[in-house]
Structure formats: C-alpha cells, structure tokens
Amino acid sequence: MQEKRNHKPLLYKLLLAVFCMFLFAFALVPLYDTFCEVTGINGKTGGRIRAAIEEIDTSRIIRLEFITHNNQEMPWEFYVTQPYIDLHPGEVKQVDFYARNPTDIDMVGQTIPSVSPGVGARYIKKTECFCFDFQPLKAGAEEVMPVVLFLDPKIPDHIEELTLSYTLFDITDRS
Amino acid sequence: MGDHHHGPAKGLSRWLLTTNHKDIGTLYLWFAFIMFLVGGAFAMVIRMELFQPGNQLVSPNTFNQLTTMHGLIMVFGAIMPAFTGFANWLIPMMVGAPDMALPRMNNWSFWILPFAFAILLSSWFMDGGAPNFGWTFYAPLSTQGPPSTDFFILSVHMMGISSIMGAINVIVTIFNMRAPGMTLMKMPIFCWSWLITAFLLIAVMPILAAAVTMLLTDRNFGTSFFDAAGGGDPVLFQHIFWFFGHPEVYIMILPAFGIVSEILPTFTRKRLFGRVSMIYAIVAIAGLSFIVWAHHMFTTGMPVIAGLFFMYATMLIAVPTGVKIFNWAATIFRGALTFETPMLFALGFVFLFTIGGFSGLMLALIPADIQYHDTYFVVAHFHYVLVSGALFSIFAGAYYWLPKWTGTMYNETLGKFHFWLSAISFNITFFPMHFMGLAGMPRRIPDYALQFADFNRISSIGSFVFGLSQLLFLYIIIQAIRGKGKKATDEVWDDHPRGLEWTLSSPPAYHTFETPPSEKLVEEHH
C-alpha cells in the first residue's frame, strides 16, 4: 500500500502565502505613495511648508503656468486670475484663484494639484494653498483663494517652464 | 479504510459530488468549452458590428459591454479552466498518483465556477447592464461603473478562490504524491509547466482579489484608493492590476508550453531537445513576469529611467522564450515527423505564437509602444499569443489525449480539417489587425474611419469562419466520446511512448494507480 502522506503542513504554508500576497497588495498602496514621494516622479506637490528664507537666484527666470479644470459635472466657476507668472527661483509670489458656486445648494469642493513635467513637482514649495483644505461654498457664494509659493533654487537647469494644474472635485457627498 | 473498488455513481450526483480527478477534469474541460462558445458568441457580435463603419447593430455602450465580457470570459472562463481541466486529468496519471491530493477541495474549486459565471453573465439583465469598462477594469471607469460592477467584483473573487484552490491542489499533488523513483527532474514537462503556473497563481490571484476589494470599498464604503478627490491615484490601480496582470498572461501560456513540449517529441519520434533548459526557461519566464508590469503603462507618463528598466526587463523575457522556441525547433529538426491533428496544432502553435512574441517585442519598445498603445496592433498581438498560443495548445492537447480519455480515436480527417480551417481563418481574422493598428485604428471602439473598412471586413469574415469551425470541434469530440471511431490502443500514438499515462488502459479505469507504479516502470517511461 502506498503510504498516506499528511498534506496539511504544505496546505497551510500555501494558504499562508496566499494570505501574505493579499496583504502585500494592500501594502503596495503606501509603498507606492512613499516611492513617488521619495523619487518625486508622480507630479504631486508636497504639503504646506514654512516660508524658509531662500536665497533668490536672480540669474534665472522660470515661467510657471496655471491651468484649472472641473472634474466631470462639477458646476462651479473656477479659474485663475493670472495665466502665468515669471519668477526667480527662491522668490515668493502669491497667485489668486477664484471660485463661485452658481447653484442653489451648499457644496464642498476639493482641488488636487498636479505638475507637468512631473520631475518639477518637488521643487514647487507652497507656504499657503487652498488645495490643502476642503472648500465649502454656500449656494451662490464666491471666494478668492490664494496660493503662496516659491521655487526651490535647487530646481534643475533644464527646467525653464512648469505647469501647475488644479482639478476641482465635487466632494459634497463625502464630507 | 474500505478496500472496495467502485465505478462512478449514477446520474447527476456523480458530477455534483464527485471527488474523482478524471470527472473533475472532464467538468472543467466542458465548462471551459461552453464558456469558449459564449465568449466566442460575444466576439461574433463584435465582429458583426465592425463589419462596416458606422453604428448599426449594437449601441456603443453594448459594444463596450461585449468587449468587456468577451475578455473576462475568455481569460477566466475558457483558457484558465481548460488548463485546470488538463491538470486534473493528467497530473495524477503522469506522476503515478491515485488522485489529486485534496479531492474535496478539488470538487469545490470546480463548482464555484459555474456560479461565478452565472453571476457575471446575469449582469446583462441588471439595471445599467453589464460591466462596460474592459476586462482590465481601470479606475475610474470601474469605480464609476454600472451597479452590476459589484456583482462583477463578487464573481472575480469567486474565480480567484477557485483558481487558488486549484493551484494549491496541483502543488500538493506534485510535491507529495509522485510515484517512488519519480524525482522532480524526471517529472513530465507538462507537470513542470503546471507547477510553475500554480506558484504564479498563488502569488498573483490574491493581488487581483485585493484590487477588486479596493474597488469595492471605493465604490461602496467611502475609501479613496483610486479616487483623486480623496487623495487616491487612478494610476495606482494600473500598477496593482498589472502586477497581477502580467504574471496572469504567463499563467495562460506556461501550461501551453508544457502541452506542446509533450506533443512535439511524440510526433517527431525524438526526445524533447534541451529538456532541462526548457524547465529553467519556464522558471526564468515566471520570475521575470513580476518585474515587467509597467510595460502596459508606458503612456501613463513615467520617468525615463523607470521606462528604460521596464523596457529592458521586458525584452529580456525574449531570451528564455527564445530558448524554448529554439529547443522546439531543434526537437523538430531531423525528426521522423508525421502530421496528425495534435502535431498540426502544436506546429501551428510554434509558428503563430512566435509571431505574437515578435509583435510583443515591438510593443516592448517605448517609442513604438507610445504609437501602438491601445490600437489594433495590440489586439493582434495578444490574440496571436492567446488564440494561436494558448487556445491552439488546448486543441492540440485535447486531440492528443482524447483517445486516452475516451478509448476512441477521433475522426482524423475532420480533425485535420478543423486545424486548417482554424489556422487559416485565424490568420485572416487577426493578421490584418496588425496593419489596422499600425495605421492608427484604436481598439475598443464600435465605429472607425472609412480607411479601415476593407481590413475590418476581411477580419470579420475570417472571424465568422473561425467561430463556425469550432462547432466542428464540438462534433468531433462528441463523436469520440460516443465511441464512434476506431478503438484506441493503450499506447495510442507510439509503440514505446514516454509518460506513465500511456501505461494505463484507454480509457483508463475510474481509479488508477491505487498502488503506485514500480520504479522500473517510472524509469522506463520517463
């Protein structure tokens, strides 16, 4: 007769492997964010920083363009007052964005920034940005939303132009 | 333990309650074939819509639903269960085991499938209709998909559980139940290919399960894994999906390598050339499959250095794949060839899969890929590797082992006819798609520019012939099962076959190798 081998030890090891891979997939989410943050490759700008007094590099001028989008059917009016600014690396500037809720319901918006080319994202330093918070707007209300930013003087020489794009999402249901 | 030998139970309960690897193998193969016809029917409607420019037959949304369901059903319902069917039938007979190691789990892993696909197919009749975001269910299309998306998620979970249990069964059977004297290196190459496939399944099916779970919580429980408004990232979805998806495409081709490597030696009357390098090549392909996923995402905008890494890693896969192709060519070289149907399909596989491999190499090049991405060139590429690759190997394997399974030779004339019809109509269908793609026709659209009309018409005509030819296959199989044909010998093809399955009678008894084969028998047949 053939000897009966106990299959359970191997079975349990394989089930454990399955479970670990399931968890690993969830671990990919923070790993992905960390990886993008460390390498700065995803076009995501960083959070609020305190205004550090940087040396202004007057030898260079970089053009920073702004674009605004409404996601899907977001009905707000949302635009930037200046399409672009020219600034020296290290120089602190303020740009105003304008939003109005034309509907007759109170809504909450959230803007998500993205930078192109993506490698430039980590050099845009914001000391103040409406994108850090939710934007509640009552029906018919309007608001001027400032961004205060400067460019890190370490920004690579080949970057002469950057585009900062803001997409406005409707998160009324979420909040 | 009782010493009684019994045949199958009578009636429906035989199939519902069976723990017999041969019965379960048969169930898997029939299920796969039915799903193949269902997914094929969807493809026929797609090709009818594309027969001429303009929207005539189905609405654009229905068209999207058809492409989604066609992909899901062919991948998870036809190709994967068919290979699991082969594994169930053959692995115990090849390693000299009485059954699969975990027979009750085996029953469960099969019987989940019909329910999973019933749920998936029922989404056609729900409010908002079937899923319409492609088989890759990219976020945010899927996070905003129709209500039936939640049923799609449930069915994918069930398919995943089924595949994982099938894979565990294969690994435990191969590790614990080989006959005395059958070392891993003496084990048939089909078992080797399935062993590696099973490890791939265990590694990546949980990733798919996690992806659909994240989708589920994003849709229903307020999380934001993939929703930018909540701090998530839709590109993250693509990374997770393809981290599963690329090994998945090898899950659908490695068993095909195994089947073809069994068939070519039989009909060339030679040993498989470079057997050990074949095994290492399979392992290498499986290993590389984990570090190439982002080649599906070159157009998402990744840094040059990451793009270069994924490009070179992808091209590196051509090395072990080349090893396999050259080994098959060397096996054929100066062999005493005969061209029975399994051999025709196996040769068709080697030629046409190689074409698919080359178009894959073209797509691996970033500058080219940015041009070809989401065009019909990609559709041509993956149908060359999945239809003339995976599917042709399934046909080859079915013809090769059918006489063993049924005890009756299939009708050789009709089999050859099936091959030539399939091979020619396959090329008529898919070869023009290379040109359409290079000329810029995007995939997943119901309408197209007039310039593509001629090639699309050729494609559609080819696909109708291909689809109808498969009914011939159904007829041939049913005739063999009903015993209409020559009686098959135990050896079937060759007087001195390799492989323990040929030492059994044709058809084999319901229970085989209840006492393991002797070491002498193992040695003689490896």
Side-chain angles (χ1 to χ4, degrees), chain A residues 7 21 25 32 42 72 112 174, chain B residues 144 176 203 210 224 227-228 233:
Chain A
H7 299 312
M21 286 310 290
Y32 173 77
N42 204 11
Q72 289 186 321
I112 302 290
R174 261 172 205 280
Chain B
Q144 298 162 0
N176 285 358
S224 302
D227 183 359
D233 193 331

Side-chain angles (χ1 to χ4, degrees), chain B residues 121-138:
Chain B
L121 286 168
S122 70
S123 64
W124 279 111
F125 308 105
M126 293 175 189
D127 255 4
N132 55 4
F133 31 68
W135 86 278
T136 51
F137 60 103
Y138 276 10

Side-chain angles (χ1 to χ4, degrees), chain A residues 31-79:
Chain A
L31 278 174
Y32 173 77
D33 286 340
T34 314
F35 185 78
C36 289
E37 210 177 293
V38 171
T39 53
I41 57 178
N42 204 11
K44 284 181 176 170
T45 53
R48 191 192 310 264
I49 61 154
R50 267 174 296 162
I53 308 214
E54 301 269 358
E55 213 158 286
I56 298 177
D57 178 3
T58 48
S59 65
R60 295 176 66 194
I61 292 182
I62 292 172
R63 174 160 293 190
L64 186 55
E65 296 182 329
F66 304 99
I67 349 178
T68 57
H69 305 278
N70 284 21
N71 188 50
Q72 289 186 321
E73 276 136 48
M74 179 61 164
W76 290 11
E77 286 166 33
F78 175 49
Y79 57 84

Side-chain angles (χ1 to χ4, degrees), chain B residues 139-155:
Chain B
L141 291 175
S142 51
T143 49
Q144 298 162 0
S148 65
T149 307
D150 296 323
F151 288 85
F152 152 82
I153 291 169
L154 176 64
S155 76

Side-chain angles (χ1 to χ4, degrees), chain B residues 23 146 216 218 320 365 401 406 485 501 510:
Chain B
D23 280 355
L216 183 78
D218 264 17
L365 289 159
W401 283 291
T406 63
E501 74 267 34
Y510 196 55

Side-chain angles (χ1 to χ4, degrees), chain A residues 2 4-7 10-11 14-15 17-18 21-22 24-26 28-29 32 41-42 44 72 110 112 169 171 174, chain B residues 98 101 144 164 168 171-172 175-177 202-203 206-207 209-210 214 222 224 227-229 233 235-236 239 243 303:
Chain A
Q2 197 167 8
K4 277 264 171 207
R5 278 183 76 163
N6 184 7
H7 299 312
L10 183 54
L11 173 67
L14 293 170
L15 285 174
V18 168
M21 286 310 290
F22 186 71
F24 174 68
F26 282 92
L28 284 173
V29 178
Y32 173 77
I41 57 178
N42 204 11
K44 284 181 176 170
Q72 289 186 321
Q110 165 80 63
I112 302 290
F169 290 82
I171 57 158
R174 261 172 205 280
Chain B
Q144 298 162 0
I164 288 169
I168 288 176
I171 295 174
V172 179
F175 278 174
N176 285 358
M177 298 185 63
I202 282 187
I207 307 273
M214 292 178 204
S224 302
D227 183 359
D233 193 331
V235 177
L236 170 67
H239 281 290
F243 190 77

Side-chain angles (χ1 to χ4, degrees), chain B residues 70-81 135 244 248 252 386:
Chain B
H70 168 72
L72 287 169
I73 283 174
M74 288 307 197
V75 168
F76 295 107
I79 302 290
M80 290 171 70
W135 86 278
F244 146 79
E248 165 70 14
M252 291 188 283
L386 280 176

Side-chain angles (χ1 to χ4, degrees), chain B residues 187-326:
Chain B
M187 187 169 71
I189 190 118
F190 174 74
C191 301
W192 257 108
S193 70
W194 239 108
L195 180 65
I196 307 300
T197 305
F199 276 111
L200 283 182
L201 280 164
I202 282 187
V204 300
M205 289 314 276
I207 307 273
L208 175 68
V212 290
T213 306
M214 292 178 204
L215 182 62
L216 183 78
T217 58
D218 264 17
R219 285 171 60 83
N220 300 305
F221 304 110
T223 59
S224 302
F225 287 104
F226 310 128
D227 183 359
D233 193 331
V235 177
L236 170 67
F237 175 86
Q238 297 188 25
H239 281 290
I240 294 177
F241 179 82
W242 287 113
F243 190 77
F244 146 79
H246 203 78
E248 165 70 14
V249 301
Y250 292 136
I251 286 165
M252 291 188 283
I253 203 64
L254 295 186
F257 291 169
I259 290 172
V260 168
S261 301
E262 295 285 346
I263 291 173
L264 287 178
T266 299
F267 298 100
T268 52
R269 280 85 197 165
K270 285 174 67 185
R271 304 216 74 164
L272 181 64
F273 188 88
R275 192 186 123 85
V276 176
S277 68
M278 288 298 238
I279 293 170
Y280 283 121
I282 296 177
V283 176
I285 292 170
L288 286 171
S289 74
F290 285 98
I291 55 162
V292 297
W293 76 90
H295 69 212
H296 298 270
M297 305 165 53
F298 283 147
T299 55
T300 56
M302 66 177 72
V304 176
I305 188 76
L308 285 174
F309 170 79
F310 285 111
M311 177 170 97
Y312 289 130
T314 304
M315 298 180 84
L316 196 59
I317 295 181
V319 176
T321 312
V323 167
K324 299 200 76 71
I325 304 228
F326 284 119

